[in-house]
Amino acid sequence: MGKELKKRDQIDQKYKWNIEDMFSDESQIDTELSDAMELMEKFKSYEGRVTESAATLAQALKDNDEIWQKVEKVYVYARMRRDEDNSVSKYQAMTDKCNYVMAQVSAAESFF
């Protein structure tokens, strides 16, 4: 017979990721996503002028990285939390929200 699959609370802490290092307070998540959306709106100002100069392109690349670092950090957190227990609707919703924000950012940056 096979071994019984343990629940997460039955597994020794040393075998679990320390996801709290990413966000010690989940209230920061909405702030990160809101910040990313604000940066995305500002990023739209690059449309039609990204190649004006090397400095403009460099700043656009930097701003793009900042947006995606915020979104991806939340996405990784949400996915890892969801993967801990797929029955927790809070993290399913958080992952869905991240997917929505990523779609919005991708659409807004499609010119890039």
Side-chain angles (χ1 to χ4, degrees):
M1 293 200 98
K3 292 184 178 184
E4 185 177 323
L5 187 62
K6 293 181 180 181
K7 294 199 181 281
R8 187 163 178 78
D9 61 357
Q10 297 170 318
I11 298 172
D12 192 314
Q13 190 62 35
K14 69 182 179 181
Y15 298 114
K16 300 177 196 176
W17 50 59
N18 187 5
I19 198 164
E20 290 78 16
D21 283 350
M22 293 179 76
F23 287 102
S24 59
D25 179 3
E26 288 185 356
S27 68
Q28 298 168 329
I29 288 170
D30 284 335
T31 302
E32 282 290 297
L33 291 177
S34 293
D35 289 350
M37 293 293 280
E38 284 179 30
L39 291 169
M40 176 198 72
E41 288 300 321
K42 291 178 185 175
F43 191 85
K44 291 177 182 179
S45 71
Y46 288 111
E47 188 167 6
R49 58 183 206 90
V50 173
T51 58
E52 280 179 351
S53 68
T56 300
L57 176 58
Q59 189 61 52
L61 290 167
K62 182 180 173 192
D63 292 349
N64 182 60
D65 286 347
E66 184 179 2
I67 293 166
W68 282 105
Q69 284 174 1
K70 288 179 176 297
V71 174
E72 288 173 356
K73 181 179 177 184
V74 175
Y75 181 75
V76 168
Y77 178 88
R79 283 295 308 262
M80 290 175 79
R81 281 292 193 202
R82 189 188 78 180
D83 290 345
E84 288 175 348
D85 184 348
N86 283 310
S87 69
V88 179
S89 62
K90 173 182 177 179
Y91 297 116
Q92 291 174 358
M94 190 183 293
T95 301
D96 291 345
K97 188 174 185 177
C98 288
N99 285 329
Y100 171 78
V101 171
M102 288 190 304
Q104 294 295 308
V105 171
S106 292
E109 293 187 345
S110 62
F111 69 90
F112 193 59

